[in-house]
Amino acid sequence: MTIGVVVADDQEIVRTGLTMILNSQPDIEVVGEAADGRRAVELARRLRPDVCLFDIRMPEVDGIEATRRMAGPDVADPLAVVVITTFDLDEYVYAALRAGAKGFLLKDAGTELLGQAVRAAAAGDALIAPSVTARLLEAFAGTGPAGAPAQPIEPLTEREEQILAAVACGRTNAEIAAECYITLSTVKTHIASLMAKLGARNRVEVAMWAYETNRVRAGARRPAKEK
């Protein structure tokens, strides 16, 4: 199946470059382009793409509001949104993830990671650029809504805590499976259980919860493997 994408960026040269990169992938096709957030939302609602690729800073409607309109908690039939930006330490990025974005990439992430992020979002997964995951979430974990983080409806198991740490460090499902010596389907089962227990809509919210509860701290490394 071909993954349909709507690309929105106010810089024509960036928008053209992203479109060329995505269209060069055999399983991805850009079905619409927009130079501002308002047009992006209109296109997305009309075309119903598999993935929306939104820049953070756009005129008319910014990437945060566009993300909220397409993927927010009040959206009955949300679309998958990946946020792409030049700024890796920007308060707007955290807000976009809170608004429902399934991924976050820097514009210099490269062709391979861009394709991975789009495919992950289309599959219902999420990907944050591993190079900035820890720094981003640590920087903004304390800037979310006031009050204590929500507690899980059931205690997390030891394995779930391990998977949680891996997700918060930006690991993909395949990397977690390899590191923990478990199958890919088992990883997906654990992540689904984490989302259910935490009331999270996606793994991005799972990662943010890990930082908000100090389960992952600055300098965190790969989770230890069970023997």
Side-chain angles (χ1 to χ4, degrees):
M1 278 183 67
T2 300
I3 300 170
V5 181
V6 163
V7 174
D9 195 296
D10 61 326
Q11 294 183 306
E12 183 178 0
I13 191 169
V14 174
R15 192 171 65 251
T16 300
L18 291 171
T19 297
M20 290 178 62
I21 290 172
L22 292 174
N23 281 338
S24 70
Q25 307 290 314
D27 57 339
I28 299 174
E29 178 185 4
V30 174
V31 296
E33 297 180 44
D36 63 72
R38 189 181 305 280
R39 175 62 173 162
V41 170
E42 292 173 353
L43 275 178
R45 285 176 173 165
R46 177 166 59 86
L47 299 176
R48 300 298 298 176
D50 300 297
V51 178
C52 299
L53 187 64
F54 289 165
D55 182 27
I56 277 284
R57 295 182 173 179
M58 294 186 289
E60 300 290 335
V61 174
D62 64 27
I64 298 169
E65 180 59 25
T67 298
R68 185 177 295 111
R69 293 183 187 183
M70 302 315 305
D74 297 328
V75 178
D77 189 14
L79 295 178
V81 177
V82 174
V83 169
I84 187 165
T85 179
T86 305
F87 309 98
D88 61 346
L89 288 178
D90 189 325
E91 66 273 17
Y92 293 121
V93 176
Y94 184 86
L97 297 178
R98 278 295 191 196
K102 278 187 170 293
F104 162 65
L105 290 178
L106 295 180
K107 289 182 179 177
D108 62 358
T111 302
E112 183 177 355
L113 198 58
L114 177 61
Q116 288 178 8
V118 167
R119 293 184 186 95
D125 205 342
L127 185 151
I128 306 176
S131 62
V132 298
T133 298
R135 195 165 78 249
L136 170 73
L137 294 177
E138 287 169 6
F140 297 108
T143 66
Q151 294 302 305
I153 59 175
E154 294 179 20
L156 304 187
T157 66
E158 184 177 350
R159 176 64 88 182
E160 286 171 345
E161 292 279 5
Q162 184 183 25
I163 302 296
L164 175 70
V167 169
C169 289
R171 303 293 185 268
T172 65
N173 285 357
E175 289 172 335
I176 295 172
E179 291 172 358
C180 298
Y181 302 112
I182 56 179
T183 66
L184 193 59
S185 62
T186 300
V187 173
K188 292 179 179 179
T189 298
H190 283 306
I191 291 177
S193 178
L194 280 169
M195 288 192 291
K197 288 184 177 181
L198 303 179
R201 292 171 299 163
N202 53 55
R203 67 193 292 141
V204 175
E205 292 187 356
V206 169
M208 286 193 288
W209 186 85
Y211 280 90
E212 290 171 345
T213 56
N214 295 317
R215 279 170 162 78
V216 177
R217 299 174 181 274
R221 295 293 185 267
R222 293 176 179 271
K225 299 174 183 176
E226 289 189 1
K227 308 213 171 171

PDB file of all heavy atoms in Angstrom, residues 1-6 27 29 31 47-52 78-81 102 118 121-124:
ATOM      1  N   MET A   1       0.839  -1.199   0.000  1.00  0.00           N
ATOM      2  CA  MET A   1       0.000   0.000   0.000  1.00  0.00           C
ATOM      3  C   MET A   1       0.874   1.249   0.000  1.00  0.00           C
ATOM      4  O   MET A   1       1.928   1.291   0.613  1.00  0.00           O
ATOM      5  CB  MET A   1      -0.883   0.036   1.248  1.00  0.00           C
ATOM      6  CG  MET A   1      -2.139  -0.812   1.125  1.00  0.00           C
ATOM      7  SD  MET A   1      -3.167  -0.645   2.593  1.00  0.00           S
ATOM      8  CE  MET A   1      -3.668   1.057   2.454  1.00  0.00           C
ATOM      9  N   THR A   2       0.413   2.261  -0.709  1.00  0.00           N
ATOM     10  CA  THR A   2       1.120   3.540  -0.736  1.00  0.00           C
ATOM     11  C   THR A   2       0.613   4.427   0.390  1.00  0.00           C
ATOM     12  O   THR A   2      -0.586   4.539   0.609  1.00  0.00           O
ATOM     13  CB  THR A   2       0.912   4.250  -2.079  1.00  0.00           C
ATOM     14  OG1 THR A   2       1.412   3.416  -3.130  1.00  0.00           O
ATOM     15  CG2 THR A   2       1.638   5.583  -2.106  1.00  0.00           C
ATOM     16  N   ILE A   3       1.528   5.045   1.114  1.00  0.00           N
ATOM     17  CA  ILE A   3       1.190   5.934   2.227  1.00  0.00           C
ATOM     18  C   ILE A   3       1.017   7.347   1.683  1.00  0.00           C
ATOM     19  O   ILE A   3       1.957   7.938   1.147  1.00  0.00           O
ATOM     20  CB  ILE A   3       2.293   5.915   3.295  1.00  0.00           C
ATOM     21  CG1 ILE A   3       2.465   4.505   3.854  1.00  0.00           C
ATOM     22  CG2 ILE A   3       1.975   6.897   4.418  1.00  0.00           C
ATOM     23  CD1 ILE A   3       3.701   4.338   4.735  1.00  0.00           C
ATOM     24  N   GLY A   4      -0.178   7.900   1.819  1.00  0.00           N
ATOM     25  CA  GLY A   4      -0.446   9.254   1.351  1.00  0.00           C
ATOM     26  C   GLY A   4      -0.072  10.276   2.412  1.00  0.00           C
ATOM     27  O   GLY A   4      -0.401  10.107   3.591  1.00  0.00           O
ATOM     28  N   VAL A   5       0.612  11.336   2.013  1.00  0.00           N
ATOM     29  CA  VAL A   5       1.099  12.349   2.950  1.00  0.00           C
ATOM     30  C   VAL A   5       0.721  13.749   2.484  1.00  0.00           C
ATOM     31  O   VAL A   5       0.826  14.063   1.297  1.00  0.00           O
ATOM     32  CB  VAL A   5       2.633  12.270   3.098  1.00  0.00           C
ATOM     33  CG1 VAL A   5       3.139  13.308   4.107  1.00  0.00           C
ATOM     34  CG2 VAL A   5       3.080  10.873   3.514  1.00  0.00           C
ATOM     35  N   VAL A   6       0.294  14.588   3.428  1.00  0.00           N
ATOM     36  CA  VAL A   6       0.133  16.019   3.187  1.00  0.00           C
ATOM     37  C   VAL A   6       1.306  16.722   3.858  1.00  0.00           C
ATOM     38  O   VAL A   6       1.554  16.519   5.048  1.00  0.00           O
ATOM     39  CB  VAL A   6      -1.198  16.558   3.740  1.00  0.00           C
ATOM     40  CG1 VAL A   6      -1.171  18.086   3.854  1.00  0.00           C
ATOM     41  CG2 VAL A   6      -2.357  16.143   2.849  1.00  0.00           C
ATOM     42  N   ASP A  27       7.024   3.493  -1.363  1.00  0.00           N
ATOM     43  CA  ASP A  27       5.741   3.253  -0.696  1.00  0.00           C
ATOM     44  C   ASP A  27       5.099   4.523  -0.142  1.00  0.00           C
ATOM     45  O   ASP A  27       4.156   4.460   0.642  1.00  0.00           O
ATOM     46  CB  ASP A  27       5.922   2.242   0.437  1.00  0.00           C
ATOM     47  CG  ASP A  27       6.959   2.690   1.461  1.00  0.00           C
ATOM     48  OD1 ASP A  27       7.809   3.537   1.118  1.00  0.00           O
ATOM     49  OD2 ASP A  27       6.929   2.182   2.599  1.00  0.00           O
ATOM     50  N   GLU A  29       3.661   8.620  -1.059  1.00  0.00           N
ATOM     51  CA  GLU A  29       3.291   9.597  -2.082  1.00  0.00           C
ATOM     52  C   GLU A  29       2.722  10.845  -1.419  1.00  0.00           C
ATOM     53  O   GLU A  29       1.835  10.759  -0.565  1.00  0.00           O
ATOM     54  CB  GLU A  29       2.238   9.010  -3.021  1.00  0.00           C
ATOM     55  CG  GLU A  29       1.774   9.992  -4.088  1.00  0.00           C
ATOM     56  CD  GLU A  29       0.639   9.452  -4.930  1.00  0.00           C
ATOM     57  OE1 GLU A  29       0.152   8.337  -4.638  1.00  0.00           O
ATOM     58  OE2 GLU A  29       0.229  10.141  -5.883  1.00  0.00           O
ATOM     59  N   VAL A  31       0.329  13.678  -1.392  1.00  0.00           N
ATOM     60  CA  VAL A  31      -0.951  13.891  -2.076  1.00  0.00           C
ATOM     61  C   VAL A  31      -1.421  15.339  -1.985  1.00  0.00           C
ATOM     62  O   VAL A  31      -2.417  15.712  -2.612  1.00  0.00           O
ATOM     63  CB  VAL A  31      -2.032  12.954  -1.495  1.00  0.00           C
ATOM     64  CG1 VAL A  31      -1.671  11.504  -1.752  1.00  0.00           C
ATOM     65  CG2 VAL A  31      -2.231  13.207   0.007  1.00  0.00           C
ATOM     66  N   LEU A  47      -8.612  15.457   1.995  1.00  0.00           N
ATOM     67  CA  LEU A  47      -7.906  14.329   1.382  1.00  0.00           C
ATOM     68  C   LEU A  47      -7.774  13.120   2.309  1.00  0.00           C
ATOM     69  O   LEU A  47      -7.579  12.002   1.830  1.00  0.00           O
ATOM     70  CB  LEU A  47      -6.506  14.777   0.938  1.00  0.00           C
ATOM     71  CG  LEU A  47      -6.462  15.901  -0.105  1.00  0.00           C
ATOM     72  CD1 LEU A  47      -5.023  16.312  -0.374  1.00  0.00           C
ATOM     73  CD2 LEU A  47      -7.144  15.450  -1.393  1.00  0.00           C
ATOM     74  N   ARG A  48      -7.868  13.345   3.620  1.00  0.00           N
ATOM     75  CA  ARG A  48      -7.719  12.271   4.607  1.00  0.00           C
ATOM     76  C   ARG A  48      -6.461  11.434   4.325  1.00  0.00           C
ATOM     77  O   ARG A  48      -6.525  10.215   4.096  1.00  0.00           O
ATOM     78  CB  ARG A  48      -8.948  11.343   4.614  1.00  0.00           C
ATOM     79  CG  ARG A  48     -10.255  12.013   4.949  1.00  0.00           C
ATOM     80  CD  ARG A  48     -10.282  12.600   6.328  1.00  0.00           C
ATOM     81  NE  ARG A  48     -10.111  11.558   7.366  1.00  0.00           N
ATOM     82  CZ  ARG A  48     -10.026  11.835   8.666  1.00  0.00           C
ATOM     83  NH1 ARG A  48     -10.051  13.077   9.083  1.00  0.00           N
ATOM     84  NH2 ARG A  48      -9.865  10.853   9.525  1.00  0.00           N
ATOM     85  N   PRO A  49      -5.274  12.062   4.359  1.00  0.00           N
ATOM     86  CA  PRO A  49      -4.038  11.318   4.107  1.00  0.00           C
ATOM     87  C   PRO A  49      -3.733  10.364   5.252  1.00  0.00           C
ATOM     88  O   PRO A  49      -4.309  10.470   6.336  1.00  0.00           O
ATOM     89  CB  PRO A  49      -2.988  12.424   4.021  1.00  0.00           C
ATOM     90  CG  PRO A  49      -3.512  13.477   4.944  1.00  0.00           C
ATOM     91  CD  PRO A  49      -5.003  13.466   4.716  1.00  0.00           C
ATOM     92  N   ASP A  50      -2.831   9.452   4.998  1.00  0.00           N
ATOM     93  CA  ASP A  50      -2.408   8.538   6.063  1.00  0.00           C
ATOM     94  C   ASP A  50      -1.575   9.276   7.105  1.00  0.00           C
ATOM     95  O   ASP A  50      -1.619   8.942   8.294  1.00  0.00           O
ATOM     96  CB  ASP A  50      -1.585   7.388   5.468  1.00  0.00           C
ATOM     97  CG  ASP A  50      -2.382   6.586   4.454  1.00  0.00           C
ATOM     98  OD1 ASP A  50      -3.389   5.981   4.857  1.00  0.00           O
ATOM     99  OD2 ASP A  50      -2.015   6.593   3.267  1.00  0.00           O
ATOM    100  N   VAL A  51      -0.813  10.267   6.661  1.00  0.00           N
ATOM    101  CA  VAL A  51       0.067  11.020   7.555  1.00  0.00           C
ATOM    102  C   VAL A  51       0.088  12.480   7.141  1.00  0.00           C
ATOM    103  O   VAL A  51       0.095  12.807   5.954  1.00  0.00           O
ATOM    104  CB  VAL A  51       1.519  10.469   7.516  1.00  0.00           C
ATOM    105  CG1 VAL A  51       2.440  11.287   8.425  1.00  0.00           C
ATOM    106  CG2 VAL A  51       1.549   8.999   7.917  1.00  0.00           C
ATOM    107  N   CYS A  52       0.110  13.370   8.135  1.00  0.00           N
ATOM    108  CA  CYS A  52       0.314  14.797   7.904  1.00  0.00           C
ATOM    109  C   CYS A  52       1.704  15.162   8.411  1.00  0.00           C
ATOM    110  O   CYS A  52       2.064  14.798   9.538  1.00  0.00           O
ATOM    111  CB  CYS A  52      -0.710  15.636   8.652  1.00  0.00           C
ATOM    112  SG  CYS A  52      -2.423  15.342   8.177  1.00  0.00           S
ATOM    113  N   PRO A  78      -9.071  11.044  14.392  1.00  0.00           N
ATOM    114  CA  PRO A  78      -7.799  11.752  14.226  1.00  0.00           C
ATOM    115  C   PRO A  78      -6.913  11.174  13.126  1.00  0.00           C
ATOM    116  O   PRO A  78      -6.973   9.993  12.811  1.00  0.00           O
ATOM    117  CB  PRO A  78      -7.136  11.584  15.601  1.00  0.00           C
ATOM    118  CG  PRO A  78      -7.714  10.306  16.141  1.00  0.00           C
ATOM    119  CD  PRO A  78      -9.133  10.302  15.670  1.00  0.00           C
ATOM    120  N   LEU A  79      -6.104  12.049  12.555  1.00  0.00           N
ATOM    121  CA  LEU A  79      -5.102  11.647  11.586  1.00  0.00           C
ATOM    122  C   LEU A  79      -3.741  11.590  12.274  1.00  0.00           C
ATOM    123  O   LEU A  79      -3.531  12.201  13.316  1.00  0.00           O
ATOM    124  CB  LEU A  79      -5.038  12.656  10.422  1.00  0.00           C
ATOM    125  CG  LEU A  79      -6.268  12.765   9.527  1.00  0.00           C
ATOM    126  CD1 LEU A  79      -6.039  13.843   8.468  1.00  0.00           C
ATOM    127  CD2 LEU A  79      -6.570  11.432   8.860  1.00  0.00           C
ATOM    128  N   ALA A  80      -2.826  10.856  11.681  1.00  0.00           N
ATOM    129  CA  ALA A  80      -1.471  10.774  12.212  1.00  0.00           C
ATOM    130  C   ALA A  80      -0.697  12.011  11.771  1.00  0.00           C
ATOM    131  O   ALA A  80      -0.664  12.343  10.591  1.00  0.00           O
ATOM    132  CB  ALA A  80      -0.777   9.513  11.706  1.00  0.00           C
ATOM    133  N   VAL A  81      -0.100  12.702  12.736  1.00  0.00           N
ATOM    134  CA  VAL A  81       0.667  13.907  12.443  1.00  0.00           C
ATOM    135  C   VAL A  81       2.109  13.738  12.909  1.00  0.00           C
ATOM    136  O   VAL A  81       2.354  13.308  14.029  1.00  0.00           O
ATOM    137  CB  VAL A  81       0.058  15.150  13.131  1.00  0.00           C
ATOM    138  CG1 VAL A  81       0.925  16.386  12.867  1.00  0.00           C
ATOM    139  CG2 VAL A  81      -1.371  15.388  12.663  1.00  0.00           C
ATOM    140  N   LYS A 102       2.304  12.400  16.520  1.00  0.00           N
ATOM    141  CA  LYS A 102       2.838  11.056  16.686  1.00  0.00           C
ATOM    142  C   LYS A 102       4.351  10.997  16.525  1.00  0.00           C
ATOM    143  O   LYS A 102       4.955   9.956  16.734  1.00  0.00           O
ATOM    144  CB  LYS A 102       2.197  10.091  15.682  1.00  0.00           C
ATOM    145  CG  LYS A 102       0.846   9.569  16.120  1.00  0.00           C
ATOM    146  CD  LYS A 102       0.371   8.498  15.170  1.00  0.00           C
ATOM    147  CE  LYS A 102      -0.869   7.797  15.720  1.00  0.00           C
ATOM    148  NZ  LYS A 102      -0.592   7.016  16.928  1.00  0.00           N
ATOM    149  N   VAL A 118       7.419   8.604   8.898  1.00  0.00           N
ATOM    150  CA  VAL A 118       6.152   8.573   8.167  1.00  0.00           C
ATOM    151  C   VAL A 118       5.552   7.168   8.206  1.00  0.00           C
ATOM    152  O   VAL A 118       4.356   6.995   8.445  1.00  0.00           O
ATOM    153  CB  VAL A 118       6.366   9.039   6.711  1.00  0.00           C
ATOM    154  CG1 VAL A 118       5.136   8.719   5.859  1.00  0.00           C
ATOM    155  CG2 VAL A 118       6.671  10.522   6.668  1.00  0.00           C
ATOM    156  N   ALA A 121       4.212   6.438  11.764  1.00  0.00           N
ATOM    157  CA  ALA A 121       2.950   7.125  12.020  1.00  0.00           C
ATOM    158  C   ALA A 121       1.802   6.460  11.279  1.00  0.00           C
ATOM    159  O   ALA A 121       0.707   6.280  11.823  1.00  0.00           O
ATOM    160  CB  ALA A 121       3.069   8.595  11.601  1.00  0.00           C
ATOM    161  N   ALA A 122       2.042   6.050  10.042  1.00  0.00           N
ATOM    162  CA  ALA A 122       1.000   5.393   9.250  1.00  0.00           C
ATOM    163  C   ALA A 122       0.586   4.065   9.866  1.00  0.00           C
ATOM    164  O   ALA A 122      -0.566   3.639   9.739  1.00  0.00           O
ATOM    165  CB  ALA A 122       1.484   5.175   7.817  1.00  0.00           C
ATOM    166  N   ALA A 123       1.529   3.420  10.554  1.00  0.00           N
ATOM    167  CA  ALA A 123       1.250   2.125  11.180  1.00  0.00           C
ATOM    168  C   ALA A 123       0.665   2.271  12.579  1.00  0.00           C
ATOM    169  O   ALA A 123       0.422   1.280  13.265  1.00  0.00           O
ATOM    170  CB  ALA A 123       2.525   1.297  11.242  1.00  0.00           C
ATOM    171  N   GLY A 124       0.448   3.508  13.016  1.00  0.00           N
ATOM    172  CA  GLY A 124      -0.101   3.733  14.345  1.00  0.00           C
ATOM    173  C   GLY A 124       0.949   3.826  15.411  1.00  0.00           C
ATOM    174  O   GLY A 124       0.654   3.913  16.606  1.00  0.00           O
TER     175      GLY A 124
END
